[in-house]
Short mmCIF file of all heavy atoms in Angstrom, two decimals:
data_model
loop_
_atom_site.label_atom_id
_atom_site.label_comp_id
_atom_site.label_asym_id
_atom_site.label_seq_id
_atom_site.Cartn_x
_atom_site.Cartn_y
_atom_site.Cartn_z
N ALA A 1 -0.26 -9.52 13.09
CA ALA A 1 -1.50 -8.76 13.03
C ALA A 1 -2.76 -9.59 12.84
O ALA A 1 -3.85 -9.43 13.31
CB ALA A 1 -1.46 -7.73 11.96
N GLY A 2 -2.57 -10.67 11.97
CA GLY A 2 -3.64 -11.56 11.64
C GLY A 2 -4.83 -10.79 11.03
O GLY A 2 -4.66 -10.02 10.13
N GLY A 3 -6.00 -11.07 11.58
CA GLY A 3 -7.21 -10.41 11.06
C GLY A 3 -7.45 -9.04 11.78
O GLY A 3 -8.41 -8.45 11.26
N ASN A 4 -6.69 -8.64 12.69
CA ASN A 4 -6.97 -7.39 13.32
C ASN A 4 -7.02 -6.13 12.46
O ASN A 4 -7.95 -5.34 12.65
CB ASN A 4 -6.02 -7.11 14.49
CG ASN A 4 -6.07 -8.11 15.62
OD1 ASN A 4 -7.16 -8.46 16.00
ND2 ASN A 4 -4.98 -8.69 16.19
N PRO A 5 -6.15 -6.04 11.48
CA PRO A 5 -6.26 -4.78 10.53
C PRO A 5 -7.20 -4.97 9.43
O PRO A 5 -7.29 -4.16 8.50
CB PRO A 5 -4.83 -4.69 10.10
CG PRO A 5 -4.31 -6.07 10.01
CD PRO A 5 -4.95 -6.75 11.24
N CYS A 6 -8.03 -6.05 9.55
CA CYS A 6 -9.10 -6.15 8.40
C CYS A 6 -8.58 -6.26 7.01
O CYS A 6 -8.83 -5.49 6.24
CB CYS A 6 -10.12 -5.13 8.52
SG CYS A 6 -11.04 -5.07 10.13
N PRO A 7 -7.68 -7.39 6.81
CA PRO A 7 -7.13 -7.57 5.46
C PRO A 7 -8.29 -7.94 4.48
O PRO A 7 -9.40 -8.44 4.90
CB PRO A 7 -6.24 -8.71 5.57
CG PRO A 7 -6.62 -9.37 6.83
CD PRO A 7 -7.29 -8.28 7.70
N PRO A 8 -8.03 -7.91 3.05
CA PRO A 8 -6.83 -7.53 2.43
C PRO A 8 -6.26 -6.12 2.60
O PRO A 8 -7.02 -5.14 2.64
CB PRO A 8 -7.08 -7.86 0.99
CG PRO A 8 -8.51 -7.58 0.77
CD PRO A 8 -9.11 -7.99 2.08
N LEU A 9 -4.92 -6.02 2.83
CA LEU A 9 -4.40 -4.84 3.30
C LEU A 9 -3.66 -4.02 2.07
O LEU A 9 -3.34 -4.64 1.04
CB LEU A 9 -3.16 -5.08 4.18
CG LEU A 9 -3.53 -6.03 5.33
CD1 LEU A 9 -2.23 -6.47 6.04
CD2 LEU A 9 -4.34 -5.32 6.36
N ILE A 10 -3.50 -2.72 2.37
CA ILE A 10 -2.61 -1.91 1.58
C ILE A 10 -1.50 -1.65 2.60
O ILE A 10 -1.82 -1.15 3.71
CB ILE A 10 -3.09 -0.68 1.00
CG1 ILE A 10 -4.21 -1.03 -0.05
CG2 ILE A 10 -2.07 0.29 0.39
CD1 ILE A 10 -4.80 0.26 -0.85
N ILE A 11 -0.30 -1.93 2.24
CA ILE A 11 0.83 -1.89 3.35
C ILE A 11 1.67 -0.70 2.87
O ILE A 11 2.22 -0.58 1.79
CB ILE A 11 1.65 -3.08 3.23
CG1 ILE A 11 0.73 -4.28 3.59
CG2 ILE A 11 2.90 -2.95 4.19
CD1 ILE A 11 1.43 -5.67 3.45
N GLY A 12 1.82 0.32 3.80
CA GLY A 12 2.67 1.42 3.57
C GLY A 12 4.04 1.20 4.22
O GLY A 12 4.05 0.84 5.45
N LEU A 13 5.09 1.42 3.48
CA LEU A 13 6.49 1.26 4.09
C LEU A 13 7.22 2.53 4.01
O LEU A 13 7.24 3.14 2.98
CB LEU A 13 7.21 0.18 3.42
CG LEU A 13 6.51 -1.25 3.34
CD1 LEU A 13 7.52 -2.19 2.59
CD2 LEU A 13 6.33 -1.81 4.71
N GLY A 14 7.82 2.92 5.10
CA GLY A 14 8.77 4.06 5.05
C GLY A 14 10.06 3.56 5.42
O GLY A 14 10.34 2.96 6.47
N ILE A 15 11.09 3.62 4.41
CA ILE A 15 12.36 3.11 4.55
C ILE A 15 13.44 4.15 4.65
O ILE A 15 13.51 5.00 3.66
CB ILE A 15 12.64 2.05 3.43
CG1 ILE A 15 11.62 1.04 3.32
CG2 ILE A 15 14.02 1.45 3.47
CD1 ILE A 15 11.61 0.19 2.04
N GLY A 16 14.23 4.15 5.63
CA GLY A 16 15.33 5.04 5.78
C GLY A 16 14.89 6.37 6.68
O GLY A 16 14.00 6.26 7.49
N ALA A 17 15.65 7.45 6.43
CA ALA A 17 15.49 8.64 7.20
C ALA A 17 15.87 8.34 8.75
O ALA A 17 16.76 7.84 9.06
CB ALA A 17 14.17 9.25 7.05
N THR A 18 14.87 8.90 9.53
CA THR A 18 15.09 8.60 11.01
C THR A 18 13.74 7.96 11.52
O THR A 18 12.74 7.71 10.62
CB THR A 18 15.08 10.01 11.78
OG1 THR A 18 14.06 10.84 11.32
CG2 THR A 18 16.39 10.74 11.46
N ALA A 19 13.61 7.63 12.76
CA ALA A 19 12.37 6.93 13.31
C ALA A 19 11.12 7.65 12.90
O ALA A 19 10.21 7.09 12.37
CB ALA A 19 12.59 6.65 14.69
N GLU A 20 11.02 8.93 13.27
CA GLU A 20 9.79 9.73 13.13
C GLU A 20 9.59 9.98 11.64
O GLU A 20 8.30 9.95 11.22
CB GLU A 20 9.72 10.97 13.90
CG GLU A 20 10.59 12.16 13.33
CD GLU A 20 12.06 12.08 13.50
OE1 GLU A 20 12.59 11.12 14.05
OE2 GLU A 20 12.68 13.00 13.02
N LYS A 21 10.54 10.23 10.79
CA LYS A 21 10.30 10.47 9.52
C LYS A 21 9.84 9.26 8.70
O LYS A 21 9.05 9.29 7.78
CB LYS A 21 11.61 11.02 8.86
CG LYS A 21 11.51 11.40 7.29
CD LYS A 21 10.55 12.57 7.08
CE LYS A 21 10.61 12.94 5.51
NZ LYS A 21 9.74 14.08 5.28
N SER A 22 10.38 8.10 9.06
CA SER A 22 9.98 6.82 8.43
C SER A 22 8.56 6.64 8.57
O SER A 22 7.87 6.11 7.77
CB SER A 22 10.92 5.73 8.80
OG SER A 22 10.70 5.30 10.19
N LEU A 23 8.04 6.81 9.80
CA LEU A 23 6.64 6.68 10.21
C LEU A 23 5.81 7.54 9.34
O LEU A 23 4.71 7.14 8.85
CB LEU A 23 6.43 6.95 11.60
CG LEU A 23 6.96 5.80 12.57
CD1 LEU A 23 7.17 6.28 13.98
CD2 LEU A 23 6.07 4.45 12.48
N GLU A 24 6.21 8.77 9.09
CA GLU A 24 5.39 9.77 8.36
C GLU A 24 5.37 9.31 6.91
O GLU A 24 4.22 9.31 6.28
CB GLU A 24 5.99 11.22 8.45
CG GLU A 24 5.28 12.20 7.69
CD GLU A 24 5.79 13.57 7.77
OE1 GLU A 24 6.71 13.70 8.52
OE2 GLU A 24 5.37 14.49 7.00
N ILE A 25 6.37 8.93 6.27
CA ILE A 25 6.40 8.61 4.90
C ILE A 25 5.69 7.24 4.72
O ILE A 25 5.09 7.03 3.54
CB ILE A 25 7.76 8.69 4.20
CG1 ILE A 25 8.80 7.56 4.80
CG2 ILE A 25 8.31 10.09 4.27
CD1 ILE A 25 10.07 7.61 4.18
N ALA A 26 5.72 6.36 5.65
CA ALA A 26 4.97 5.09 5.50
C ALA A 26 3.46 5.39 5.41
O ALA A 26 2.76 4.85 4.56
CB ALA A 26 5.23 4.22 6.66
N LYS A 27 3.00 6.40 6.32
CA LYS A 27 1.59 6.62 6.15
C LYS A 27 1.23 7.46 4.97
O LYS A 27 0.18 7.20 4.25
CB LYS A 27 1.16 7.52 7.37
CG LYS A 27 -0.29 7.92 7.42
CD LYS A 27 -0.82 8.22 8.87
CE LYS A 27 -0.86 6.89 9.65
NZ LYS A 27 -1.22 7.23 11.14
N LYS A 28 2.07 8.39 4.56
CA LYS A 28 1.83 9.18 3.35
C LYS A 28 1.78 8.22 2.03
O LYS A 28 1.15 8.44 1.07
CB LYS A 28 2.80 10.34 3.15
CG LYS A 28 2.47 11.19 2.10
CD LYS A 28 3.34 12.40 1.97
CE LYS A 28 2.91 13.42 0.89
NZ LYS A 28 3.85 14.66 0.91
N ALA A 29 2.61 7.20 2.06
CA ALA A 29 2.59 6.15 0.99
C ALA A 29 1.25 5.59 0.73
O ALA A 29 0.97 5.18 -0.36
CB ALA A 29 3.54 5.06 1.31
N LEU A 30 0.37 5.55 1.71
CA LEU A 30 -0.97 4.98 1.51
C LEU A 30 -1.83 5.86 0.73
O LEU A 30 -2.97 5.43 0.24
CB LEU A 30 -1.67 4.84 2.86
CG LEU A 30 -0.96 3.91 3.78
CD1 LEU A 30 -1.62 3.81 5.24
CD2 LEU A 30 -0.95 2.40 3.40
N LEU A 31 -1.48 7.16 0.45
CA LEU A 31 -2.16 8.11 -0.25
C LEU A 31 -2.04 7.79 -1.85
O LEU A 31 -2.71 8.41 -2.60
CB LEU A 31 -1.84 9.61 0.02
CG LEU A 31 -2.22 9.95 1.30
CD1 LEU A 31 -1.69 11.41 1.59
CD2 LEU A 31 -3.71 9.92 1.68
N ARG A 32 -1.00 7.05 -2.26
CA ARG A 32 -0.70 6.82 -3.62
C ARG A 32 -1.97 5.99 -4.16
O ARG A 32 -2.46 5.31 -3.46
CB ARG A 32 0.58 6.03 -3.81
CG ARG A 32 1.09 5.98 -5.17
CD ARG A 32 2.26 4.94 -5.25
NE ARG A 32 3.31 5.08 -4.35
CZ ARG A 32 4.14 4.09 -4.19
NH1 ARG A 32 4.04 2.88 -4.76
NH2 ARG A 32 5.04 4.25 -3.24
N PRO A 33 -2.22 6.27 -5.40
CA PRO A 33 -3.33 5.47 -6.08
C PRO A 33 -3.04 4.06 -5.86
O PRO A 33 -1.91 3.51 -6.15
CB PRO A 33 -3.30 5.78 -7.53
CG PRO A 33 -2.80 7.28 -7.57
CD PRO A 33 -1.81 7.30 -6.32
N ALA A 34 -3.96 3.32 -5.35
CA ALA A 34 -3.83 1.84 -4.91
C ALA A 34 -3.16 0.94 -6.04
O ALA A 34 -3.80 0.95 -7.05
CB ALA A 34 -5.13 1.30 -4.35
N GLY A 35 -1.98 0.36 -5.78
CA GLY A 35 -1.56 -0.56 -6.61
C GLY A 35 -0.44 0.11 -7.66
O GLY A 35 0.17 -0.62 -8.36
N GLU A 36 -0.43 1.40 -7.56
CA GLU A 36 0.60 2.21 -8.49
C GLU A 36 1.93 1.94 -7.91
O GLU A 36 2.19 2.41 -6.77
CB GLU A 36 0.31 3.70 -8.48
CG GLU A 36 1.15 4.46 -9.41
CD GLU A 36 0.81 5.93 -9.36
OE1 GLU A 36 -0.18 6.28 -10.02
OE2 GLU A 36 1.55 6.70 -8.64
N PRO A 37 2.86 1.47 -8.74
CA PRO A 37 4.28 1.16 -8.21
C PRO A 37 5.04 2.39 -8.05
O PRO A 37 4.73 3.43 -8.72
CB PRO A 37 4.85 0.28 -9.34
CG PRO A 37 4.08 0.58 -10.55
CD PRO A 37 2.70 0.95 -10.07
N ASN A 38 6.11 2.39 -7.25
CA ASN A 38 6.98 3.52 -7.04
C ASN A 38 7.69 3.76 -8.31
O ASN A 38 7.91 2.85 -9.18
CB ASN A 38 7.95 3.16 -5.95
CG ASN A 38 8.76 4.37 -5.45
OD1 ASN A 38 9.68 4.84 -6.24
ND2 ASN A 38 8.54 4.77 -4.20
N SER A 39 7.97 5.04 -8.66
CA SER A 39 8.51 5.44 -9.82
C SER A 39 10.03 4.96 -9.95
O SER A 39 10.67 4.83 -11.04
CB SER A 39 8.54 7.00 -10.12
OG SER A 39 9.23 7.61 -8.93
N ASP A 40 10.66 4.66 -8.83
CA ASP A 40 12.00 4.14 -8.85
C ASP A 40 11.93 2.55 -9.07
O ASP A 40 11.23 1.95 -8.39
CB ASP A 40 12.63 4.40 -7.48
CG ASP A 40 14.06 3.79 -7.35
OD1 ASP A 40 14.91 4.36 -7.98
OD2 ASP A 40 14.16 2.82 -6.57
N VAL A 41 12.73 2.21 -9.94
CA VAL A 41 12.67 0.76 -10.44
C VAL A 41 13.02 -0.24 -9.17
O VAL A 41 12.30 -1.24 -9.04
CB VAL A 41 13.53 0.58 -11.60
CG1 VAL A 41 13.61 -0.95 -11.98
CG2 VAL A 41 13.12 1.33 -12.82
N GLU A 42 14.09 0.13 -8.51
CA GLU A 42 14.59 -0.70 -7.53
C GLU A 42 13.47 -0.83 -6.29
O GLU A 42 13.21 -1.91 -5.81
CB GLU A 42 15.80 -0.22 -6.79
CG GLU A 42 16.38 -1.05 -5.71
CD GLU A 42 17.67 -0.49 -5.06
OE1 GLU A 42 17.65 0.70 -4.72
OE2 GLU A 42 18.69 -1.21 -4.99
N THR A 43 12.90 0.41 -5.90
CA THR A 43 11.89 0.35 -4.99
C THR A 43 10.57 -0.34 -5.40
O THR A 43 10.08 -1.14 -4.59
CB THR A 43 11.49 1.76 -4.60
OG1 THR A 43 12.74 2.45 -4.22
CG2 THR A 43 10.50 1.75 -3.37
N ALA A 44 10.23 -0.27 -6.73
CA ALA A 44 9.08 -1.01 -7.22
C ALA A 44 9.29 -2.47 -7.19
O ALA A 44 8.36 -3.21 -6.94
CB ALA A 44 8.73 -0.49 -8.64
N GLU A 45 10.50 -2.96 -7.37
CA GLU A 45 10.86 -4.30 -7.30
C GLU A 45 10.68 -4.86 -5.88
O GLU A 45 10.29 -5.99 -5.69
CB GLU A 45 12.29 -4.59 -7.93
CG GLU A 45 12.61 -6.08 -7.90
CD GLU A 45 11.85 -6.92 -8.71
OE1 GLU A 45 11.04 -6.51 -9.52
OE2 GLU A 45 12.00 -8.18 -8.53
N LEU A 46 11.17 -4.01 -4.93
CA LEU A 46 11.06 -4.42 -3.59
C LEU A 46 9.52 -4.48 -3.16
O LEU A 46 9.22 -5.42 -2.40
CB LEU A 46 11.78 -3.31 -2.66
CG LEU A 46 11.47 -3.57 -1.14
CD1 LEU A 46 12.21 -4.95 -0.68
CD2 LEU A 46 12.18 -2.41 -0.31
N GLU A 47 8.78 -3.54 -3.62
CA GLU A 47 7.31 -3.69 -3.39
C GLU A 47 6.74 -4.93 -3.92
O GLU A 47 5.94 -5.62 -3.16
CB GLU A 47 6.53 -2.46 -4.12
CG GLU A 47 6.88 -1.07 -3.44
CD GLU A 47 6.22 0.02 -4.29
OE1 GLU A 47 6.04 -0.20 -5.51
OE2 GLU A 47 6.05 1.09 -3.72
#
């Protein structure tokens, strides 16, 4: 992507489910207060 998405970025990741569901939850993840880690410890460590 380089400079195309105008970094610095907030990156939303949707992991699991199906193709269309993962895309939806990746976008919804962007609504979380910026920088707030996932409540699941393993997922927060991946972040």
Side-chain angles (χ1 to χ4, degrees):
N4 290 319
C6 296
L9 308 167
I10 294 179
I11 302 174
L13 302 180
I15 303 168
T18 55
E20 80 282 2
K21 180 68 173 179
S22 66
L23 288 164
E24 179 183 350
I25 63 176
K27 182 159 286 176
K28 191 173 183 180
L30 298 173
L31 296 175
R32 192 193 307 167
E36 179 182 282
N38 193 291
S39 58
D40 176 72
V41 174
E42 182 183 49
T43 306
E45 180 62 13
L46 175 63
E47 291 174 337

